[in-house]
Amino acid sequence: MNKDHTTKRYIFVTLLNVIITIAEFFGGIISGSLALLSDAVHNLSDVGAIILSFVAHLISRKSRNKNKTFGYQRAETLAAFTNGVILIVISIVLFVEAIERFWKPEPIKGGIMLVVALIGLAANFISMWAMHKDAKKNLNVRSTFVHMMSDALSSIAVVIGAIFIYFWNVTWLDPLLTMLVSVFVLHEAYEITMKAANVLMESNPDIDLNKVNKIVLSFPEIKNIHHVHVWRYSDDYIMLDAHVNVSKDLTAGQFEKITQEIGKRLKKELGVNHINLQAECERGKNDDMIVSDSKHEN
């Protein structure tokens, strides 16, 4: 991913969303549309979310040092998690407000609502297009992209509602469309939040441990593999740490060569970028790959 291009896209999308937010906020007040005001609030949160993602993106580019020996890449994961939680909260709040609007309908000026909604829709699609490419490779950028996508969907809903309100005065569509968009955004936000949480909790990134076992033990010098830990450090960095039992006669040089070959196979077949294997002779030779908490490593 080209970091310079990503930085420029963040700046462009931030400025564009500030303009959208101001336009929809005043348009919602003048027209009396909850959907338009909710879209403005959503866009306001997006400005904060984009800035958060952008700052995390800049931090992630810093080189590792004695205080952060792994580097700063997880700053983007933290930002993705935070943005996901923000989206979940906003979706629930808008859903509740939409239900209340069903019981307390208010007059809506469909003409103003339609014009502002069309402006917002165009701007949101431009924002989506700007973030689309990097969203496939980076969870932090994807969280920003989902913000943009949810805004675009919300704008589409507002446009549809504005048309029906302007021509046929179907005001109940305003809260209904708000509810539908909220449910969709809630689903997308939940997925991003869980993915980020799994990275922060150092969960297994769908690596088949049976295949790990098969690859490692395919080398005759390795007798057993135990105390295995596999986790995703960032979007493109998977790590594996394990203890392996080898013969007492195996030299350090021979073990290093075997480790390099194991690393190549694990990267090619399972996408593991970094491995650390600790050689042992007798200790743990009867242990399983995953050792329970009651059985601590020495």
Side-chain angles (χ1 to χ4, degrees):
M1 179 169 56
N2 189 312
K3 297 288 187 180
D4 291 333
H5 286 174
T6 302
T7 298
K8 292 176 182 177
R9 291 186 185 111
Y10 269 122
I11 294 173
F12 171 74
V13 170
T14 300
L15 293 175
L16 188 59
N17 273 267
V18 168
I19 296 172
I20 299 172
T21 301
I22 295 172
E24 290 191 331
F25 181 74
F26 284 105
I29 292 176
I30 296 171
S31 66
S33 168
L34 174 63
L36 201 55
L37 277 173
S38 68
D39 207 28
V41 173
H42 197 169
N43 271 301
L44 180 61
S45 72
D46 285 345
V47 173
I50 294 167
I51 293 173
L52 176 63
S53 294
F54 179 44
V55 171
H57 166 72
L58 294 178
I59 293 174
S60 71
R61 298 173 62 185
K62 295 177 65 176
S63 300
R64 64 183 68 181
N65 52 50
K66 64 181 181 180
N67 292 321
K68 298 290 186 296
T69 56
F70 275 104
Y72 292 81
Q73 291 182 13
R74 277 199 176 174
E76 292 198 289
T77 306
L78 283 168
F81 179 81
T82 303
N83 280 335
V85 172
I86 291 172
L87 274 170
I88 290 173
V89 173
I90 289 173
S91 299
I92 294 174
V93 170
L94 292 180
F95 189 89
V96 172
E97 287 184 359
I99 292 176
E100 292 177 352
R101 179 61 73 92
F102 269 118
W103 305 113
K104 298 178 181 179
E106 295 182 11
I108 300 171
K109 298 177 182 178
I112 297 174
M113 179 182 173
L114 179 59
V115 172
V116 177
L118 286 172
I119 295 173
L121 178 60
N124 282 318
F125 269 110
I126 293 172
S127 297
M128 281 180 62
W129 175 80
M131 305 304 295
H132 170 260
K133 185 176 180 180
D134 293 343
K136 298 178 181 178
K137 306 173 184 178
N138 184 290
L139 187 61
N140 182 39
V141 178
R142 176 161 176 76
S143 71
T144 303
F145 176 77
V146 171
H147 272 280
M148 300 300 96
M149 181 176 66
S150 65
D151 281 342
L153 287 172
S154 181
S155 294
I156 291 174
V158 174
V159 168
I160 294 172
I163 292 173
F164 276 84
I165 290 169
Y166 182 73
F167 289 102
W168 299 287
N169 198 32
V170 187
T171 55
W172 57 263
L173 265 181
D174 188 60
L176 176 62
L177 291 171
T178 301
M179 291 172 67
L180 293 176
V181 172
S182 296
V183 170
F184 177 81
V185 174
L186 182 64
H187 175 265
E188 292 294 317
Y190 174 79
E191 288 194 349
I192 286 177
T193 305
M194 290 308 299
K195 286 180 181 179
N198 283 333
V199 173
L200 296 174
M201 288 294 293
E202 298 186 344
S203 303
N204 180 354
D206 298 324
I207 298 294
D208 189 336
L209 294 183
N210 290 326
K211 288 184 179 180
V212 172
N213 188 65
K214 184 177 180 181
I215 290 172
V216 174
L217 295 184
S218 67
F219 293 82
E221 296 85 357
I222 308 297
K223 309 302 179 183
N224 183 44
I225 178 172
H226 57 98
H227 283 99
V228 172
H229 302 282
V230 56
W231 69 100
R232 182 183 293 279
Y233 175 70
S234 62
D235 288 316
D236 53 2
Y237 207 65
I238 298 176
M239 307 181 73
L240 182 144
D241 178 88
H243 294 201
V244 293
N245 294 104
V246 298
S247 170
K248 295 179 180 179
D249 300 326
L250 194 70
T251 67
Q254 290 171 328
F255 181 69
E256 180 181 354
K257 185 176 180 181
I258 294 169
T259 301
Q260 290 175 348
E261 292 301 316
I262 292 174
K264 290 178 182 177
R265 285 195 57 185
L266 288 174
K267 183 174 183 178
K268 180 180 179 181
E269 298 181 31
L270 299 177
V272 178
N273 307 78
H274 175 84
I275 70 166
N276 177 46
L277 299 181
Q278 177 176 319
E280 298 175 343
C281 295
E282 296 297 326
R283 185 176 61 174
K285 64 180 182 180
N286 296 319
D287 286 344
D288 296 326
M289 294 185 71
I290 304 298
V291 179
S292 64
D293 292 335
S294 60
K295 217 176 166 185
H296 298 289
E297 298 179 49
N298 296 323

